[in-house]
Amino acid sequence: SLTLAVPPREPVPVQVLRATGKSGTCGRMPSFRGRDDKRYVISDKSSIIDACTQMVEQRLSFLVVVKPSITAGNVVVGVATEHKYVTHGARKIEEVGEDERSAFLAGWSLSDSVHAIMTPTDRMLSVTPYDTVQTCVDLLEKKLFRYLPIVAPDDDSLRGILTVRDLLRPAGALWAPIAHLWENKPVGEILEGSVGSEASLREKYSIDRKGMIADAVLQMSRETLNFLVVVDKENDNKIHGVFTERHYVTYGSKIAERDGTGKNSTNEGIESIMTPAASMLRAHPGMDGAKCIDMMLDNNVRFMPVTNDEGTKMLGVLSLRDFLKPLWS
């Protein structure tokens, strides 16, 4: 795992971000969820279907995979994520070939070990209890994570979990939320200064409504995306809905219940499980920037599609990084 500081004998105070010109200190990280909260952890003996079911039931995009220890508690061995489930599925789809994507993906059983969709500790992003909040936020500039496991450097035990929301909107903080910086600045203006307005990116984030679930999985894995806007390419790319990693994970968790085989089908159309346009999470050009980032934090998303006011045409994609630039400038 990525250790960011050599721990002193006593924990150093957590520096409060100077996002609004205020500064101060907190004694500890703003959140220590996960240490004794079973919602966020899963045993290394679990299966893929166990992980999918737990992520869906708890509305999580990740689970910390642990090995119980009598002396150290929950020893972290890795992290299982929705995106790893998508990339794992993409590999299996490619293995069977396009002609064989019929009822089931041959050889891919959801009863396989959770290790198949896990990033091990030597490659996962984590912090220690002694790292500062500022250090955690600086990590966002390098990688747009949604969570950070807090791991003890001496025994690799799980001490807690930080999310982006914890870092940018900590309870009882002495500074105003980051959204304050974007009040009265419309989303359209923010999008203009972002790479998310480029036509190539709009194409990257969209898929035709006639596509299959397998097509969406392959595209999200290939482009490293966590959602695709579903459009009608025969009707001026009119938006019909959105397909996300969560849709695929939910679909996988329910397949086993429906047919009892434990194998994941991808021969159904995207529209069968997508969220329709009327219900999808989106921003529009006239929306206040503060409201947009609040919506992103509330829903724990790193990217937000921007559409016209009618919600029928995709204009671009905003990244959480677009809103965090003041923290690094």
Side-chain angles (χ1 to χ4, degrees):
S1 60
L2 179 61
T3 302
L4 301 173
V6 177
R9 184 167 297 178
E10 296 295 331
V12 298
V14 176
Q15 297 175 357
V16 175
L17 302 179
R18 297 174 180 176
T20 60
K22 296 181 180 180
S23 63
T25 58
C26 300
R28 293 183 179 276
M29 290 284 185
S31 171
F32 273 86
R33 73 187 73 194
R35 182 174 183 175
D36 299 310
D37 195 332
K38 294 181 179 180
R39 293 177 299 170
Y40 297 90
V41 299
I42 190 168
S43 167
D44 64 334
K45 303 297 184 184
S46 302
S47 65
I48 292 176
I49 188 64
D50 293 332
C52 288
T53 302
Q54 187 170 333
M55 283 191 283
V56 170
E57 290 179 349
Q58 302 300 333
R59 296 183 60 81
L60 299 173
S61 60
F62 71 96
L63 292 170
V64 179
V65 183
V66 298
K67 184 176 183 178
S69 167
I70 297 177
T71 57
N74 286 329
V75 175
V76 178
V77 296
V79 60
T81 66
E82 288 180 330
H83 189 70
K84 286 288 287 185
Y85 177 70
V86 169
T87 56
H88 181 68
R91 286 197 302 271
K92 293 297 182 180
I93 291 169
E94 290 174 336
E95 286 175 8
V96 300
E98 188 171 353
D99 295 337
E100 298 179 34
R101 294 176 203 162
S102 53
F104 300 103
L105 293 178
W108 180 19
S109 174
L110 292 176
S111 61
D112 286 349
S113 169
V114 69
H115 286 255
I117 61 169
M118 182 190 84
T119 299
T121 52
D122 61 346
R123 289 191 284 117
M124 80 178 200
L125 200 66
S126 66
V127 291
T128 76
Y130 312 104
D131 293 310
T132 65
V133 170
Q134 184 65 61
T135 300
C136 298
V137 173
D138 288 343
L139 279 175
L140 280 170
E141 189 174 13
K142 301 175 183 177
K143 180 178 175 61
L144 275 182
F145 59 82
R146 283 178 280 187
Y147 56 88
L148 271 178
I150 305 172
V151 181
D154 52 347
D155 59 9
D156 291 329
S157 63
L158 181 66
R159 296 298 180 88
I161 298 168
L162 280 171
T163 67
V164 170
R165 183 175 178 177
D166 296 326
L167 294 171
L168 302 180
R169 198 193 286 163
L174 303 177
W175 49 277
I178 186 67
H180 174 75
L181 298 174
W182 299 99
E183 289 177 353
N184 302 317
K185 188 165 186 177
V187 162
E189 185 177 334
I190 301 171
L191 183 63
E192 287 178 4
S194 165
V195 295
S197 61
E198 297 176 2
S200 59
L201 198 62
R202 294 197 296 271
E203 180 70 19
K204 173 181 173 179
Y205 273 92
S206 63
I207 188 169
D208 188 70
R209 61 180 297 194
K210 294 181 180 179
M212 299 291 104
I213 294 174
D215 299 322
V217 170
L218 288 170
Q219 186 171 335
M220 286 196 296
S221 175
R222 181 176 62 252
E223 303 291 354
T224 318
L225 305 175
N226 60 351
F227 76 91
L228 290 170
V229 176
V230 182
V231 301
D232 186 350
K233 294 192 175 181
E234 295 180 353
N235 187 18
D236 195 28
N237 287 322
K238 182 179 179 181
I239 294 175
H240 276 257
V242 64
F243 181 90
T244 68
E245 292 172 342
R246 176 58 52 84
H247 287 112
Y248 185 51
V249 173
T250 302
Y251 183 71
S253 71
K254 292 181 178 180
I255 274 290
E257 298 174 8
R258 285 205 298 265
D259 58 36
T261 65
K263 293 185 178 181
N264 196 9
S265 170
T266 61
N267 68 329
E268 295 184 44
I270 301 170
E271 290 187 304
S272 65
I273 63 172
M274 73 176 190
T275 296
S279 304
M280 68 181 279
L281 195 68
R282 65 181 180 87
H284 56 82
M287 176 183 286
D288 188 80
K291 182 178 180 181
C292 182
I293 189 171
D294 269 340
M295 188 161 59
M296 294 176 75
L297 293 175
D298 285 342
N299 291 276
N300 195 29
V301 297
R302 294 167 292 174
F303 302 92
M304 175 70 72
V306 181
T307 72
N308 60 1
D309 292 340
E310 296 76 22
T312 57
K313 189 173 182 62
M314 187 175 175
L315 304 178
V317 178
L318 279 177
S319 161
L320 190 61
R321 184 175 278 117
D322 294 319
F323 291 99
L324 300 182
K325 289 176 182 177
L327 297 181
W328 306 308
S329 61

